[in-house]
Amino acid sequence: MTASFPALRLRRLRAHDWSRRLHAENVLTPSDLIWPVFVREGTSEREAVGSMPGVERLSVDLVVEAAREAADLGIPAIALFPNTPQEARDETGKESANPDNLMCRACRAVKDAGIPVGLLTDVALDPYTSHGHDGLLSEDGRILNDETLGVLAAQAVNQAKAGADIVAPSDMMDGRIGVIRHALEAEGFGDVQIMSYAAKYASAFYGPFRDAVGSGGLLKGDKKTYQMDPANRDEAMREVMLDLEEGADSVMVKPGLAYLDIVARVKDRFNAPVFAYQVSGEYAMMRAAMDQGLLDRDRAILEVLTAFKRAGCNGVLTYFARDAAKLLAA
Ligand SMILES: NCC(=O)CCC(=O)O
Ligand SMILES: [Mg+2]
């Protein structure tokens, strides 16, 4: 027999702030946050990203300052995304293997400054290709899977050499986690983590990000032959299973808010570290409503991030990371 009203009054536990805090099932802390940072060329340059109010592209010296700020706020890791100069982009994205590319210079600068923050680097070709796709493109416009794998592995090793702590393949080629894991082992980077963008959906919510890294105008066609169909759930489980088998240390679901059912299912099924990416379009959408006074900024930021935790996330990549960490410190 289960007790029922009036023996059981669920409102009793909610009656006071102390009690609500005592009974909270999930608690958001700065340790749950990964802050994505956009990198640009130059010195002392900060440039607003038009489609993402409050987000800037930073030159390497200012990335170091951002990393320091993250560390001071208790944010464990930052995620770097380069806005590669257009003249350095080509069909095959070979700039991704350049040891002096923007990404590697930013990694080295943060590491050389001795800042105690994890560095997560994006592994994919889209910031480096003239066509804006994440893989190599055939003459007839297909994204080549197996041909792309070696390029991604070289990119990951290049980033590891520059100091990346976590390489995060976001390309969605089949088999890339295994190939990258082997390459890292072979080159002496057995301690570098792989956070796989395992279930990455072909989403409308990446639009502002492509503006931020300068690949939006370049992209021909869409990414539906490699990113997942938003209609699918079982397929996400198979993607996660394969990436864990191939050697991923943690997996990611992306986008975030509209995909929390996927997060919850991954967490329940695999008992592995799972992250979600609250992507640029989610950020832009919330900012637009906040900036118009339609949403209470502070409450909305913390509520949504707490929902990610409730769904099962170990952490969230979010453009609100700095704002959230400040709110949590207050
Ligand atoms: N590979 C990283 C992304 O594609 C980020 C997408 C976004 O923030 O919209
Ligand atoms: Mg996959």
Side-chain angles (χ1 to χ4, degrees), residues 56-170:
E56 297 170 316
R57 302 181 194 92
L58 303 176
S59 55
V60 168
D61 54 318
L62 297 183
V63 171
V64 174
E65 295 312 311
R68 213 182 303 277
E69 194 180 356
D72 290 347
L73 287 166
I75 296 172
I78 62 173
L80 298 176
F81 296 98
N83 185 317
T84 306
Q86 298 296 332
E87 60 275 14
R89 302 183 192 214
D90 63 14
E91 277 287 306
T92 61
K94 66 174 181 303
E95 178 69 4
S96 65
N98 174 3
D100 284 317
N101 68 23
L102 207 42
M103 180 72 104
C104 293
R105 278 183 276 134
C107 287
R108 279 196 298 268
V110 173
K111 288 293 164 184
D112 288 351
I115 299 166
V117 75
L119 280 183
L120 185 147
T121 54
D122 184 63
V123 179
L125 292 185
D126 54 323
Y128 309 95
T129 51
S130 47
H131 46 70
H133 278 292
D134 298 24
L136 299 175
L137 198 60
S138 74
E139 301 234 320
D140 59 351
R142 285 172 302 118
I143 308 303
L144 297 167
N145 193 86
D146 298 13
E147 293 81 347
T148 299
L149 299 180
V151 185
L152 295 172
Q155 180 183 13
V157 169
N158 190 36
Q159 294 170 348
K161 286 180 181 162
D165 298 295
I166 310 175
V167 295
S170 66

Side-chain angles (χ1 to χ4, degrees), residues 33-319:
L33 306 171
I34 298 177
W35 184 18
V37 174
F38 296 110
V39 193
R40 54 154 292 156
E41 289 288 350
T43 308
S44 303
E45 296 277 358
R46 59 173 76 242
E47 175 186 29
V49 177
S51 53
M52 301 176 74
V55 174
E56 297 170 316
R57 302 181 194 92
L58 303 176
S59 55
V60 168
D61 54 318
L62 297 183
V63 171
V64 174
E65 295 312 311
R68 213 182 303 277
E69 194 180 356
D72 290 347
L73 287 166
I75 296 172
I78 62 173
L80 298 176
F81 296 98
N83 185 317
T84 306
Q86 298 296 332
E87 60 275 14
R89 302 183 192 214
D90 63 14
E91 277 287 306
T92 61
K94 66 174 181 303
E95 178 69 4
S96 65
N98 174 3
D100 284 317
N101 68 23
L102 207 42
M103 180 72 104
C104 293
R105 278 183 276 134
C107 287
R108 279 196 298 268
V110 173
K111 288 293 164 184
D112 288 351
I115 299 166
V117 75
L119 280 183
L120 185 147
T121 54
D122 184 63
V123 179
L125 292 185
D126 54 323
Y128 309 95
T129 51
S130 47
H131 46 70
H133 278 292
D134 298 24
L136 299 175
L137 198 60
S138 74
E139 301 234 320
D140 59 351
R142 285 172 302 118
I143 308 303
L144 297 167
N145 193 86
D146 298 13
E147 293 81 347
T148 299
L149 299 180
V151 185
L152 295 172
Q155 180 183 13
V157 169
N158 190 36
Q159 294 170 348
K161 286 180 181 162
D165 298 295
I166 310 175
V167 295
S170 66
D171 56 285
M172 287 296 280
M173 297 302 115
D174 287 327
R176 89 274 206 221
I177 300 301
V179 170
I180 290 170
R181 176 54 79 206
H182 279 109
L184 289 172
E185 288 287 339
E187 300 281 340
F189 295 105
D191 287 337
V192 170
Q193 297 179 25
I194 300 178
M195 181 188 292
S196 154
Y197 288 69
K200 178 174 180 177
Y201 288 86
S203 171
F205 289 87
Y206 307 147
F209 174 90
R210 291 179 191 158
D211 169 31
V213 298
S215 67
L218 303 175
L219 183 64
K220 294 180 187 64
D222 59 46
K223 300 191 176 184
K224 291 180 184 170
T225 69
Y226 47 109
Q227 299 179 352
M228 284 182 54
D229 182 341
N232 294 355
R233 188 173 66 167
D234 289 342
E235 188 187 0
M237 301 306 119
R238 303 177 77 195
E239 286 285 3
V240 167
M241 179 185 72
L242 289 173
D243 285 1
L244 290 172
E245 279 175 9
E246 289 174 29
D249 300 286
S250 56
V251 292
M252 193 203 297
V253 173
K254 181 182 166 191
L257 197 52
Y259 296 81
L260 292 186
D261 58 321
I262 306 298
V263 169
R265 214 157 175 241
V266 168
K267 192 65 190 179
D268 287 348
R269 186 168 297 196
F270 296 98
N271 303 313
V274 55
F275 292 81
Y277 201 138
Q278 183 183 40
V279 300
S280 58
E282 300 177 64
Y283 173 85
M285 188 164 66
M286 284 177 64
R287 271 300 299 239
M290 292 166 185
D291 293 350
Q292 289 183 58
L294 304 177
L295 277 182
D296 179 320
R297 172 185 176 278
D298 298 358
R299 287 184 58 204
I301 291 173
L302 296 181
E303 177 181 331
V304 172
L305 292 173
T306 302
F308 279 94
K309 286 214 71 180
R310 191 195 62 234
C313 282
N314 292 77
V316 188
L317 289 92
T318 173
Y319 302 100

